[in-house]
Amino acid sequence: MNSINLNISFEQYTGIEELMDKDRILCGQAEQALSSSYSPYSQFRVGTAIRLASGETILGSNQENLAYPSGLCAERVALFSIGASHPNAVIESMAITAQTDNFEILSPVTSCGGCLQVMAEFERKQKSPIEVLFYCLNGEVLKVSSVKSLLPFAFVEDRLER
């Protein structure tokens, strides 16, 4: 038996004012995306902004449905939009934030496992890392250099590509 430890590296910022301009702008765009959230059941709005290598930014927000499993997270809304309308685009980075009127969010909200798997698939498809920023409104920002560090055991089956 082998015992193996996995460690991830990430950067922690006390607020967006510490970020480089391009990252601060991306976080601001994720915050703007909150306004298109359809979340009448949870009142938990999530917004994401994705910066493409072309310089274009794609926004996404969570979209709920009365039949809960039929809804979709903000990350997947934006990523699937890219897949449908920009199939060969290269994603440089994405910022994700959340907001609710029901309580104060005190730390960055991270992506669910389903979103991480989709993010990992896009990273794999483009054969280059995607930087991810988790932004807490009026609070800290966590930044990772690759989705792979968030989901080291992403589902991969190379034989399916044949």
Side-chain angles (χ1 to χ4, degrees):
M1 179 191 89
N2 291 325
S3 179
I4 300 170
N5 290 314
L6 291 174
N7 297 304
I8 69 164
S9 294
F10 61 93
E11 297 172 2
Q12 182 179 27
Y13 301 88
T14 58
I16 62 170
E17 60 280 345
E18 292 182 14
L19 298 172
M20 293 176 39
D21 286 343
K22 66 178 185 168
D23 290 341
R24 187 171 42 251
I25 290 167
L26 195 64
C27 286
Q29 290 169 318
E31 191 171 341
Q32 290 171 6
L34 293 168
S35 66
S36 66
S37 168
Y38 180 70
S39 47
Y41 308 107
S42 71
Q43 289 86 47
F44 192 81
R45 297 175 296 282
V46 182
T48 189
I50 299 177
R51 185 175 53 242
L52 304 177
S54 67
E56 187 174 356
T57 303
I58 306 297
L59 303 182
S61 60
N62 60 319
Q63 302 296 310
E64 292 182 350
N65 190 286
L66 184 57
Y68 263 47
S70 299
L72 204 56
C73 300
E75 297 92 323
R76 284 184 275 169
V77 167
L79 288 165
F80 292 155
S81 176
I82 291 167
S85 60
H86 303 80
N88 298 314
V90 173
I91 298 169
E92 288 185 344
S93 61
M94 55 192 301
I96 300 140
T97 193
Q99 182 181 48
T100 183
D101 297 331
N102 295 335
F103 54 89
E104 185 179 6
I105 299 173
L106 299 173
S107 59
V109 173
T110 57
S111 301
C112 73
C115 286
L116 290 175
Q117 181 66 45
V118 171
M119 291 158 68
E121 180 70 18
F122 273 82
E123 192 170 83
R124 182 172 185 259
K125 175 185 172 189
Q126 70 184 32
K127 296 179 175 64
S128 62
I130 298 172
E131 187 177 81
V132 183
L133 296 105
F134 298 108
Y135 164 46
C136 179
L137 298 178
N138 303 312
E140 74 175 350
V141 179
L142 304 178
K143 181 178 177 179
V144 297
S145 60
S146 172
V147 176
K148 191 175 284 187
S149 65
L150 297 170
L151 192 64
F153 292 108
F155 176 74
V156 175
E157 180 49 70
D158 295 329
R159 293 173 295 180
L160 291 174
E161 291 186 85
R162 295 185 195 148

